[in-house]
Amino acid sequence: RVGTVGPVSASLVATIPGPVPRTATVTLYRDLDRVDVADQVNALVTAPYLYRFGFNLAQPDTWHEEVGAVIHAKLAPDGHYSARGINARYDWQTLNHFVDMMDGGGARGITL
């Protein structure tokens, strides 16, 4: 459904049912390369559930918060992850309060 419409922005609201009911709001802005996405969980979550938003970024370069520090999600020496990688999983990352991803060329990106 259409949420709010004004002279500068417009919002679309989707109510998603299921095991974890939630409401997603996408806001578009006139004359800005910006999109805001708000995703609100509307029920008590008692078990782990996964859902995702996909972004079309070629070879994303990622910075994210990992237990209180903002780190570069690349192997050392280019990033903060151990190059040894013994018993490490780099296919999942803890995003906590901050994540910034830019495509390989730095032309597009997303900050959550």
Side-chain angles (χ1 to χ4, degrees):
R1 70 178 169 83
V2 175
T4 60
V5 176
V8 177
S9 66
S11 296
L12 303 172
V13 179
T15 302
I16 299 108
V20 180
R22 59 191 212 272
T23 303
T25 304
V26 178
T27 303
L28 309 170
Y29 296 91
R30 185 180 68 186
D31 300 329
L32 288 177
D33 270 348
R34 176 182 172 152
V35 176
D36 288 347
V37 178
D39 194 4
Q40 179 176 336
V41 175
N42 299 323
L44 177 64
V45 179
T46 59
Y49 289 97
L50 301 175
Y51 60 94
R52 62 183 171 192
F53 288 101
F55 303 105
N56 187 15
L57 299 175
Q59 300 176 339
D61 188 25
T62 304
W63 286 81
H64 66 101
E65 181 190 356
E66 179 73 47
V67 192
V70 176
I71 63 173
H72 196 190
K74 287 189 179 228
L75 298 179
D78 299 320
H80 294 105
Y81 288 174
S82 171
R84 290 182 13 188
I86 298 172
N87 297 324
R89 289 193 59 174
Y90 299 129
D91 55 337
W92 288 83
Q93 297 169 350
T94 304
L95 303 181
N96 292 328
H97 300 102
F98 171 83
V99 64
D100 181 74
M101 293 184 291
M102 295 295 291
D103 69 7
R108 298 183 299 155
I110 181 140
T111 302
L112 301 173

